Amino acid sequence: MQPLVSVRSVSKTYRRERSVVGALRDVSLEIGQGELVRISGPSGSGKTTLLNLIAALDRPDQGQVIVAGIDLACLSAARASKYRAQQVGMVFQAYNLIPQLSALENVLLPMIALGRANKTRACELLDLVGLADRSDHSPSQLSGGEQQRVAIARALANDPSLVLADEPTGNLDDQSAERVMGLLTSAVRERGRTLLLVTHQRDTAQTVDKHLELRGGVITSVSGMNTSDDLCSAP
Ligand SMILES: Nc1ncnc2c1ncn2[C@@H]1O[C@H](COP(=O)(O)OP(=O)(O)OP(=O)(O)O)[C@@H](O)[C@H]1O
Ligand SMILES: [Mg+2]
């Protein structure tokens, strides 16, 4: 079966004046539909860069990223936005909530992008992350962990086939972290969705199908139930 995500020999370099940072170097990986994949690695190893490429928020210098059969390099800016709204739910490391909008409006936003705002569903999602009573609060009136939970509700708004979560439990206490992980993993397990989870926490209660480790922009280890070399053809 065709993988949902196929990253082929991807390199990404950031250049700024005299500094050149090789964020990803010749990275290849494949992720099947319905898989829960954990990505770990030290700060600066390229985890967020990888998620940004898969979300079509950025483009590689070399290589290809193919998601659900779509070569992301071929997308115009408008089609990339549509791809994100239809296929991807992203929980950003820095939440990226819209400060002028309430929690509820932030969750409604991806639905509006597809022309199907559903207030009941948005309220239910806020309830699932334990924020039913904070729906009219703006991000500045919420704690960091609460903003992160709104960001998770927003990522699930359109029931995306691919959820990219960048340290989604980084600012949460153990109980909230467990709740949020339960929500994310049940979205994956029960609905056949795919989750790429960047986390340093080894002891996520949820079992992952695969674990990738990045170091210095290179995949240094791949492990999981499926240990055949179908996952990664990194040199
Ligand atoms: N916009 C940018 N301009 C220049 N360099 C960047 C930019 N974004 C990332 N980098 C650099 O690319 C490398 C990889 O960054 P990335 O954000 O992917 O790391 P990360 O693994 O997500 O780290 P962390 O765990 O701290 O979030 C780092 O050295 C970072 O400084
Ligand atoms: Mg990061």
Side-chain angles (χ1 to χ4, degrees):
M1 201 174 77
Q2 200 187 9
L4 180 69
V5 178
S6 184
V7 174
R8 300 183 184 161
S9 303
V10 158
S11 296
K12 176 72 188 174
T13 303
Y14 292 106
R15 290 166 212 281
R16 205 171 265 176
E17 289 166 13
R18 262 166 276 158
S19 81
V20 177
V21 179
L24 291 175
R25 302 160 206 241
D26 200 19
V27 166
S28 296
L29 59 98
E30 289 190 346
I31 295 164
Q33 191 181 323
E35 283 187 326
L36 199 167
V37 179
R38 178 163 90 90
I39 303 173
S40 66
S43 180
S45 58
K47 306 181 296 295
T48 298
T49 302
L50 180 62
L51 294 195
N52 284 344
L53 296 179
I54 294 171
L57 285 167
D58 209 348
R59 289 183 178 208
D61 302 316
Q62 281 172 24
Q64 267 185 314
V65 182
I66 296 167
V67 180
I70 304 166
D71 183 344
L72 302 186
C74 299
L75 298 180
S76 63
R79 292 214 26 234
S81 294
K82 197 165 178 200
Y83 154 76
R84 274 191 296 281
Q86 287 177 331
Q87 308 260 7
V88 182
M90 188 140 184
V91 183
F92 294 91
Q93 209 168 0
Y95 330 132
N96 291 15
L97 298 178
I98 308 294
Q100 295 84 358
L101 301 182
S102 70
L104 182 69
E105 289 163 343
N106 267 285
V107 177
L108 278 167
L109 209 55
M111 301 182 194
I112 291 167
L114 292 186
R116 52 180 194 214
N118 182 336
K119 202 170 165 187
T120 308
R121 175 166 169 77
C123 288
E124 281 170 5
L125 283 165
L126 281 176
D127 193 22
L128 273 171
V129 294
L131 291 173
D133 56 341
R134 311 300 292 273
S135 62
D136 60 344
H137 287 223
S138 65
S140 65
Q141 296 167 327
L142 298 170
S143 72
E146 287 166 347
Q147 290 179 56
Q148 202 155 19
R149 284 185 276 156
V150 174
I152 287 159
R154 179 182 61 179
L156 297 174
N158 286 336
D159 195 16
S161 52
L162 179 60
V163 178
L164 308 175
D166 204 348
E167 297 272 9
T169 58
N171 287 312
L172 303 181
D173 59 82
D174 289 351
Q175 200 186 347
S176 301
E178 208 168 297
R179 187 173 185 168
V180 155
M181 280 307 302
L183 182 63
L184 283 172
T185 51
S186 67
V188 173
R189 299 290 187 210
E190 289 162 24
R191 307 181 65 78
R193 305 311 187 212
T194 304
L195 172 64
L196 264 73
L197 172 71
V198 171
T199 179
H200 295 291
Q201 284 169 297
R202 255 168 238 189
D203 56 340
T204 47
Q206 332 296 331
T207 43
V208 297
D209 299 315
K210 286 171 185 162
H211 173 211
L212 305 178
E213 190 170 319
L214 276 168
R215 274 177 193 269
V218 176
I219 295 181
T220 52
S221 109
V222 181
S223 56
M225 295 185 324
N226 191 350
T227 50
S228 64
D229 57 4
D230 66 333
L231 170 64
C232 171
S233 53

